[in-house]
Amino acid sequence: MLWSLPLLWACFAPATLTALASPGKPLSRRWADVAEVHSWNEIPRGWKVLSSAPPDYPLNMRIGLKQYGMDELIENLLEISDPTHPRYTQHLTKEEANAFKAPHKDASQAVDEWLAFHDINLSSADRTPSGDWISITIPVSQAEALLNTEYHLYEHLSSGEQVIRTLRYSLPRELHAHVDVVAPTTYFGTLKSMKATSFLLPNVDPVSVGDYVAQAASEKHSAGAASENNPGAVLPSCNNTITPACLRALYKTYDYTPASTDKNALGVVGYLNEFANKMDHQMFFKTFRADVPATNAAGFETVLVNGGQDDQSKPGVEANLDIQYTTGISYPTPNTYYSVGGSPPFQPDSFTTKNTNEPYLDFIEFIYKQDKIPQTLSTSYGDDEQTVPRDYAERVCKEFAAIGSRGVSIFFSSGDSGVGGGACTTNDGTNRTTFQPSFPASCPYVTTVGATVHINPEVAIPFSGGGFSNYFAAPAYQGDAVSNYLWDYGTRNKGMFNRSGRAYPDVSAQGVAYQVVVRGMVTPVGGTSASTPTVASIFALLNDHRISQNKAPLGFINPLLYSTLSSGFTDITQGSNPGCGTDGFSAARGWDPVTGLGTPDFQKLLKLIEGL
């Protein structure tokens, strides 16, 4: 059943002097003076409007109150992440972080009074422990009154997913000092429209189990005594085929045995109904980690988040890639795969209260409530930064800072479109051609991973996402490294990117021809989705070493990367990431926006953290 066709978005009344009130309720002057929070100039690309939203359809709405101590929390984060600071790695407890995240009492009171005016039962509101998020379930008609807007039903053209969103929303001016963001509103990035940063490689022949074993044996035999004296030698086949043995040799983790498996853990965050299959995982270990006893090869736990599932009959390429390589490198470190749900398909007559489709917020809300969080998290998804409303992106980025303050290293892939895919035009109405940064890769409180290819030497791969944020300023920790690159880069591609923005990636690793078992068959996969769990696993091992010495985990590592650890990476100086009709950026000596600081050398990194 289709609902009545909507007016064009250009016909929305401007949110200035009047606001909608609940039906039959006189307008309050206090709440009538409204101002716009965010709006789109046009329907986001890749979406089409279908109809007005059903007025009685229930929305699970989140209101993000400004976190009164967030600036102080970030100051703490930078202190405890600075290896030269006396408080280095003195991470915050859950309670301490919650205290910083709490809103001011005036904010809570004002928002409660606003909700009460609109006849919302405050006793039914769900609040986070710190009180910085309020969740309410209300019908669309009431949400429209709250936000002085109109909701519509939209469809994602490529996936067919349908969501209820609006092109603009407003709040009473009084609340602008108290509220960061309201969702769902103008953020159209949903589970199915998000980009998993991996892809199949149909032109690359997979390795059969028998051929792999035979080839590895042959290469070791031909290497003779050199192989016996150097068990970590990188085999020639690694130039075309990536396996755990290749990565463990190339990045020098092959002879490290984790010693803190009772305390250290690694988490992989998965979306898009991507399920990590345990039978495939066992076959992967039998083939590519034959040194591990078969009884131990199950190797990971699955945790369901916000309606996530674990359908073992539908193994996912992305999920299998991530979990097979994190466990393949970090074994026997405990690994957890977080299967994040979201909303079921839109149905006008449904009364679900989980129709949020806000993947980052769903996971953040879940993980922050946990008393214990894995010391390392890896995520291989993202959106073009310009498709994420700025208020939403800034709040999510702060939430990552809060998680990092509790001693967690958060890794995100840099994307697989170089400096930008497609036409690379802006969505602000000007249709200018510019480079397109990715989010959350552009958040300064996560560690972003690019991709390389080949060995002896490794070179940047053209799809490796990299560039400069248009939302977030360049953090001080990377100032010198980025300034040096930009000085040498000169005026090339002038005006195509924000020279003062947060630059990424921070580091990189191999990103092509990973051998992944899917439905019992070996499948070659590539992308920064492959390089990200690789780097995350290496830092999980570094955390293991620190914990074994009764030291705190590394936590937010970016300030450390650009200082003490900068010499612990193999500098990548060849290759580029073209896009948007340009040559993009080039790899260069030192940091560059294609491969970051380079690829990890675990043995060097291990020595560098010894004195911390």
Side-chain angles (χ1 to χ4, degrees):
M1 172 179 177
L2 287 179
W3 298 82
S4 58
L5 292 176
L7 296 173
L8 293 176
W9 61 93
C11 298
F12 278 76
T16 53
L17 298 178
T18 61
L20 298 172
S22 298
K25 189 158 193 167
L27 197 62
S28 164
R29 181 177 296 274
R30 181 185 184 190
W31 307 123
D33 184 16
V34 301
E36 187 175 272
V37 176
H38 182 259
S39 66
W40 294 119
N41 290 283
E42 58 186 20
I43 296 176
R45 290 164 196 159
W47 293 86
K48 68 178 181 180
V49 64
L50 296 180
S51 68
S52 295
D56 59 347
Y57 191 82
L59 286 179
N60 182 248
M61 181 168 288
R62 289 185 176 103
I63 302 167
L65 280 66
K66 289 187 182 295
Q67 298 154 317
Y68 189 59
M70 181 52 69
D71 289 345
E72 192 174 352
L73 182 146
I74 290 174
E75 288 179 11
N76 274 268
L77 175 67
L78 295 178
E79 287 181 358
I80 62 181
S81 304
D82 178 356
T84 66
H85 198 279
R87 293 184 58 217
Y88 180 63
T89 65
Q90 293 180 23
H91 307 303
L92 302 182
T93 65
K94 178 182 176 181
E95 291 72 27
E96 289 170 337
N98 277 339
F100 284 120
K101 282 162 56 70
H104 192 280
K105 63 179 181 179
D106 291 347
S108 299
Q109 181 177 336
V111 170
D112 281 357
E113 291 173 356
W114 170 60
L115 294 176
F117 172 78
H118 286 276
D119 298 325
I120 292 171
N121 183 1
L122 297 179
S123 65
S124 66
D126 182 27
R127 302 171 193 262
T128 54
S130 56
D132 58 333
W133 286 98
I134 300 175
S135 295
I136 54 176
T137 300
I138 57 176
V140 164
S141 59
Q142 201 168 23
E144 292 177 334
L146 274 175
L147 305 176
N148 193 36
T149 190
E150 295 180 19
Y151 277 89
H152 293 79
L153 176 63
Y154 295 89
E155 182 174 274
H156 189 239
L157 297 178
S158 62
S159 70
E161 184 174 26
Q162 296 180 359
V163 296
I164 290 177
R165 292 292 187 271
T166 180
L167 293 179
R168 56 176 46 83
Y169 77 100
S170 302
L171 289 172
R173 291 183 190 274
E174 177 182 335
L175 295 185
H176 281 238
H178 300 313
V179 175
D180 276 334
V181 67
V182 179
T185 51
T186 55
Y187 176 39
F188 280 69
T190 66
L191 292 175
K192 290 185 179 177
S193 65
M194 287 172 63
K195 294 179 293 186
T197 53
S198 68
F199 47 86
L200 298 175
L201 298 170
N203 296 324
V204 176
D205 293 330
V207 173
S208 71
V209 175
D211 287 347
Y212 171 75
V213 174
Q215 181 181 23
S218 175
E219 288 183 342
K220 289 180 179 179
H221 178 73
S222 63
S227 177
E228 292 297 323
N229 295 330
N230 185 10
V234 183
L235 300 177
S237 59
C238 297
N239 201 53
N240 308 105
T241 302
I242 294 298
T243 66
C246 292
L247 298 172
R248 294 172 70 213
L250 186 62
Y251 301 135
K252 302 179 182 176
T253 69
Y254 59 89
D255 61 353
Y256 181 81
T257 302
S260 302
T261 56
D262 59 332
K263 298 177 182 177
N264 189 41
L266 194 163
V268 173
V269 188
Y271 299 100
L272 299 172
N273 286 327
E274 281 274 340
F275 308 124
N277 186 272
K278 294 196 172 182
M279 289 187 65
D280 284 342
H281 187 271
Q282 289 175 347
M283 180 177 173
F284 178 83
F285 260 63
K286 182 178 180 180
T287 305
F288 300 113
R289 283 299 309 265
D291 57 306
V292 176
T295 54
N296 298 339
F300 70 94
E301 175 189 9
T302 298
V303 171
L304 309 182
V305 179
N306 191 37
Q309 301 176 37
D310 184 22
D311 190 340
Q312 290 294 296
S313 69
K314 298 178 180 178
V317 174
E318 176 69 47
N320 278 6
L321 163 67
D322 288 349
I323 203 68
Q324 288 175 13
Y325 277 86
T326 55
T327 56
I329 297 171
S330 70
Y331 175 85
T333 301
N335 276 236
T336 298
Y337 181 80
Y338 295 97
S339 178
V340 183
S343 79
F346 172 82
Q347 295 178 358
D349 58 351
S350 169
F351 287 92
T352 176
T353 60
K354 287 295 184 182
N355 194 8
T356 61
N357 257 314
E358 301 283 359
Y360 301 126
L361 294 185
D362 290 338
F363 180 71
I364 287 168
E365 182 177 331
F366 168 84
I367 202 69
Y368 208 84
K369 289 180 179 179
Q370 308 307 306
D371 292 327
K372 294 181 64 176
I373 306 175
Q375 292 87 343
T376 310
L377 291 173
S378 175
T379 309
S380 298
Y381 295 82
D383 300 282
D384 288 344
E385 186 183 67
Q386 70 169 358
T387 69
V388 184
R390 189 165 191 152
D391 58 336
Y392 187 98
E394 289 177 346
R395 180 56 183 258
V396 168
C397 188
K398 290 175 182 176
E399 297 290 358
F400 289 137
I403 295 172
S405 74
R406 291 177 58 183
V408 181
S409 303
I410 306 172
F411 294 86
F412 272 92
S413 52
S414 69
D416 294 342
S417 300
V419 294
C424 295
T425 53
T426 59
N427 61 356
D428 58 2
T430 63
N431 290 320
R432 293 176 296 110
T433 299
T434 63
F435 294 167
Q436 295 297 325
S438 296
F439 178 81
S442 62
C443 171
Y445 307 118
V446 305
T447 303
T448 305
V449 185
T452 61
V453 66
H454 302 316
I455 58 173
N456 299 323
E458 288 185 84
V459 301
I461 196 159
F463 66 68
S464 182
F468 298 78
S469 173
N470 290 318
Y471 286 177
F472 304 102
Y477 62 71
Q478 64 174 185
D480 290 343
V482 174
S483 295
N484 291 338
Y485 180 85
L486 289 175
W487 177 266
D488 292 335
Y489 192 75
T491 60
R492 283 179 286 170
N493 294 312
K494 185 177 181 180
M496 293 289 286
F497 63 97
N498 175 23
R499 295 175 68 96
S500 61
R502 187 285 206 245
Y504 71 93
D506 301 298
V507 295
S508 56
Q510 288 282 315
V512 177
Y514 278 56
Q515 303 300 298
V516 180
V517 176
V518 182
R519 294 187 182 276
M521 302 291 292
V522 178
T523 303
V525 181
T528 52
S529 247
S531 50
T532 304
T534 296
V535 173
S537 300
I538 290 167
F539 275 85
L541 295 180
L542 292 172
N543 275 333
D544 175 89
H545 180 67
R546 280 186 58 86
I547 293 170
S548 72
Q549 296 183 323
N550 296 316
K551 295 179 179 179
L554 294 169
F556 174 51
I557 61 171
N558 290 13
L560 182 65
L561 293 179
Y562 288 88
S563 56
T564 305
L565 297 190
S566 61
S567 61
F569 295 86
T570 300
D571 194 8
I572 309 301
T573 60
Q574 299 179 44
S576 62
N577 59 353
C580 302
T582 75
D583 56 358
F585 298 110
S586 298
R589 294 181 67 86
W591 178 90
D592 59 70
V594 192
T595 63
L597 295 167
T599 58
D601 183 320
F602 179 74
Q603 296 299 331
K604 287 183 179 179
L605 293 170
L606 200 60
K607 291 179 181 178
L608 290 169
I609 68 169
E610 282 293 346
L612 298 178

